[in-house]
Amino acid sequence: MPLTQPGTPTVRSRLRAASVSASGPEGRERLLVAATALVVVLVARFALGLVALVGSAVGFSVTAFPSGFVATPVGQFLGSFVLYPFPFYVASFVVLATIRPLTPRSDLRTVVRHAVVAGGAGTLALAVVGIVPGIVLSIDGGTWVNLALYLTTIPLSAGIVDTALLVAGAVLARLWLGGGHGDEVWAVEPAPRVVEAGEGDDAGDVEDDVAPPAVRGDRSTRLPTTVAAAPSARVVPPERPVVPSHPVPAPDDWSRFAPPAGPNEDDR
C-alpha cells in the first residue's frame, strides 16, 4: 500500500470529496459541464452510426452477413454507438466530474487539458475492456493477433476520435454555460511597456516601470555612497565703496553778503 503524506489528494479522497460536494451548487455545475461535453460525443457518435446504418441497410445481404444479429445493420449501429464505446463514456464522465472537474468559470486552457486527460482515461478503459474479447477471438482463431489489435489499434482509433469530440464538447459547454466568448482567457498578460524618450522629450518625463533592486543586509552595515567632488575655486566677496565715518562739511559761501559794484568809469 503506497504511503501518502497528510493532505495529499488521492483518487479515493477526490471521489469522496466529489460525492460530498455534488449536492452543492459547484458540484451541480461540474456535473452539468461533464454531461454537456459527453452529450456532444453521443450526438456525434449517433450521427456517424446512423450514416453507417443507412449504408449497411442499402447493401445488406443475408448471405454476406451469416454471423447473426451483431453483423446486421442494426447490430452494427448498436455496437458502434452503445456497446463498444460505453467504457469510454463512463471513464471520461467520471474523470471530468470528479478527478479533473470543470466549471463554467474555468479558462479554456484548463478545459482543453482536462478534456484530453479524460479522453486518455476513456481510451485506456477501451483497451482494458478489450482484453476479454481479444482473448476470446484469439483462442477461436488460433492466433494472438486479435488480442494485440484490441489492445492497441482498435482502442486508439476510437479513442482519438472520441477525445477530439470530447474536447470540442467541453469547450462548447464552457462557452455556453459560462456566457462568454472565451477570448479573454487566451490573452497573455502584457508586459510593462517601457516608453523610450524621443529627441524632443525630457529624460525626466519618461516613466520608469522597473522597480529598484532590493538591498539585502542590515541597515547598520550599509555604507553611504559618497561622490568625490572636484576642488572649487575660492570665492572673493565684492568690494564695497569706502564711506567716511564723518563727512567733511562744504565751505560756507559768503558772496551773497558782498556790497554792490560801483559804476564803471567807461560808462561815463
Side-chain angles (χ1 to χ4, degrees):
M1 180 178 181
L3 298 178
T4 57
Q5 297 295 331
T8 303
T10 58
V11 176
R12 176 180 293 182
S13 64
R14 288 176 177 175
L15 291 175
R16 187 183 299 109
S19 62
V20 171
S21 62
S23 58
E26 187 175 358
R28 288 193 293 269
E29 288 181 350
R30 294 176 179 179
L31 293 176
L32 184 59
V33 172
T36 304
L38 189 60
V39 165
V40 175
V41 180
L42 292 174
V43 171
R45 273 281 185 178
F46 179 81
L48 294 176
L50 186 62
V51 172
L53 173 62
V54 173
S56 299
V58 171
F60 177 72
S61 175
V62 179
T63 57
F65 301 96
S67 57
F69 175 75
V70 179
T72 62
V74 177
Q76 292 178 358
F77 169 75
L78 294 178
S80 63
F81 173 60
V82 179
L83 299 179
Y84 180 73
F86 184 76
F88 183 92
Y89 300 155
V90 175
S92 60
F93 179 79
V94 170
V95 170
L96 282 182
T98 59
I99 301 176
R100 290 291 185 268
L102 295 175
T103 62
R105 292 169 299 279
S106 300
D107 58 275
L108 290 183
R109 295 186 186 90
T110 304
V111 170
V112 173
R113 184 169 61 251
H114 288 190
V116 170
V117 172
T123 304
L124 183 61
L126 290 178
V128 172
V129 175
I131 294 176
V132 176
I135 293 176
V136 172
L137 293 177
S138 297
I139 294 175
D140 294 340
T143 176
W144 293 98
V145 176
N146 291 324
L147 178 60
L149 294 178
Y150 271 88
L151 290 178
T152 55
T153 58
I154 295 177
L156 285 177
S157 61
I160 291 175
V161 176
D162 291 342
T163 300
L165 294 174
L166 188 67
V167 171
V171 172
L172 291 178
R174 159 63 177 82
L175 297 179
W176 176 46
L177 299 175
H181 299 287
D183 298 336
E184 68 281 355
V185 299
W186 290 104
V188 180
E189 183 178 359
R193 185 173 60 91
V194 179
V195 181
E196 298 181 358
E199 297 180 356
D201 298 337
D202 190 4
D205 296 338
V206 179
E207 182 181 359
D208 187 12
D209 295 335
V210 181
V215 180
R216 298 181 179 178
D218 191 9
R219 180 173 296 181
S220 60
T221 60
R222 300 175 188 172
L223 297 178
T225 304
T226 58
V227 179
S232 59
R234 183 179 180 182
V235 180
V236 180
E239 298 181 358
R240 298 180 179 179
V242 179
V243 179
S245 58
H246 300 285
V248 180
D252 296 337
D253 186 12
W254 299 96
S255 61
R256 64 180 182 274
F257 298 104
N264 193 0
E265 292 181 358
D266 297 337
D267 296 338
R268 294 181 180 177

